[in-house]
Amino acid sequence: DHQELARMLSAYDLVVVQELIAPPRDVTTATGTIPADPQGAEFFQLMAEYGFRDALSERGTGKSEPASGVTAHEWPVVFYRDDELVYDPVHSGFVSSPVAANPDFDRVPRAFHFTTRDGTLDFTVINAHLKASANQAAGRKIELAKIAQWCNADAASTGEQDHLIVGDLNIQSSGELANALPAGFVSLNSTPLFTNLIGTAPYDHVLYRTNTTTSDIDLDAGFTVLDLKERMRTTWRFSIPYPDDQNSLFEQYYSDHEPVVFQLKYGNSDDD
């Protein structure tokens, strides 16, 4: 239900999305043209009507080359309000190559660099969807280490210190989180809170460096998990009964994850 999802997201300034499995616009690649996905196009149009612009990756990433009808790749995207934020495509991009069949990543994370309109805060969001299987904790740790290496290299080359690794990290437990965190990084979801729809795992996180970015995080607001089922219940407009306990059916209309929210602070001078 794209209308209600877009309405819910309209309350925010920046929206990071994983698992967009086809582009909303025709994309030409070396292997041919990937046609626009009508459902994706509808969601993008609704987000635009709510005042968002989109920063869509230039191509998909996955275990194979993107192709029409193939769902084993994803198109990282961030929606943003350009009255609040300026997107910098020059200082944005995938954190590793090749983007398809990468030796370290199932899906290569993509960095998106933003500056607030008042110039008091700039930061880079790394949109990450890590290895999914429960038995791939070692692989996820490697993926996070590689992202941290990219962040350190980016800081050295551009001076940017505020890197936020966000999204579906597929972390299975607090023990895995403690073992997988790169040196110098912490998670806003340190409790941790469960973020998958059935409430069994702390999949989703916001990682940041304590020595550079703590002052930019609104720690009082913390890390909030939205109850997607309850938020969508009152707007259900389909002929079938509301899929209260039918998780697989609910996922088809919405998501298998709960949305998560955090806040950044700006308005003073930028520290980098």
Side-chain angles (χ1 to χ4, degrees):
D1 187 357
H2 296 136
Q3 175 63 55
E4 294 310 321
L5 286 172
R7 189 194 308 275
M8 177 185 70
L9 297 171
S10 67
Y12 305 100
D13 297 318
L14 191 73
V15 178
V16 182
V17 177
Q18 289 90 38
E19 295 195 57
L20 177 73
I21 62 171
R25 303 180 278 269
D26 290 352
V27 174
T28 301
T29 71
T31 57
T33 298
I34 301 175
D37 172 61
Q39 291 188 343
E42 179 188 15
F43 179 66
F44 274 62
Q45 177 59 37
L46 285 164
M47 290 294 279
E49 291 176 8
Y50 278 108
F52 289 99
R53 297 190 67 175
D54 68 84
L56 178 68
S57 62
E58 59 274 24
R59 58 164 297 171
T61 178
K63 296 179 182 179
S64 61
E65 286 291 336
S68 177
V70 175
T71 61
H73 67 278
E74 298 176 12
W75 300 74
V77 62
V78 175
F79 296 92
Y80 65 99
R81 296 193 178 281
D82 67 355
D83 59 339
E84 296 284 351
L85 295 163
V86 179
Y87 172 56
D88 182 357
V90 174
H91 293 100
S92 302
F94 287 100
V95 306
S96 181
S97 60
V99 174
N102 188 282
D104 298 311
F105 296 97
D106 282 359
R107 295 159 290 267
V108 179
R110 193 180 187 282
F112 298 82
H113 187 69
F114 291 93
T115 304
T116 56
R117 280 286 177 187
D118 65 1
T120 61
L121 176 66
D122 64 339
F123 58 95
T124 297
V125 173
I126 295 98
N127 183 337
H129 183 191
L130 303 188
K131 296 181 188 296
S133 298
N135 64 359
Q136 290 182 298
R140 288 188 286 274
K141 183 175 182 178
I142 291 171
E143 288 179 315
L144 284 175
K146 294 291 183 180
I147 298 172
Q149 288 177 15
W150 181 90
C151 293
N152 293 335
D154 184 62
S157 64
T158 69
E160 179 55 59
Q161 299 294 324
D162 299 318
H163 296 93
L164 305 166
I165 305 170
V166 309
D168 181 5
L169 306 190
N170 276 307
I171 299 295
Q172 306 289 311
S173 66
S174 57
E176 182 185 344
L177 176 64
N179 183 57
L181 279 172
F185 282 84
V186 297
S187 173
L188 263 182
N189 189 13
S190 59
T191 305
L193 301 174
F194 294 157
T195 63
N196 61 329
L197 193 66
I198 58 175
T200 59
Y203 286 161
D204 298 273
H205 291 267
V206 176
L207 307 186
Y208 64 96
R209 289 194 198 84
T210 54
N211 66 334
T212 60
T213 311
T214 299
S215 61
D216 298 319
I217 303 284
D218 188 339
L219 296 177
D220 291 332
F223 181 92
T224 303
V225 181
L226 303 184
D227 189 336
L228 188 62
K229 272 194 171 179
E230 290 309 309
R231 282 176 176 259
M232 295 296 104
R233 183 186 303 277
T234 58
T235 59
W236 184 253
R237 54 190 176 85
F238 300 97
S239 58
I240 65 171
Y242 189 69
D244 217 347
D245 296 317
Q246 302 175 59
N247 287 317
S248 61
L249 183 58
F250 186 90
E251 292 166 11
Q252 292 177 31
Y253 284 91
Y254 300 110
S255 176
D256 61 338
H257 286 239
E258 307 280 25
V260 303
V261 179
F262 69 103
Q263 294 187 42
L264 299 175
K265 298 187 291 185
Y266 66 99
N268 298 313
S269 60
D270 189 24
D271 57 9
D272 61 6

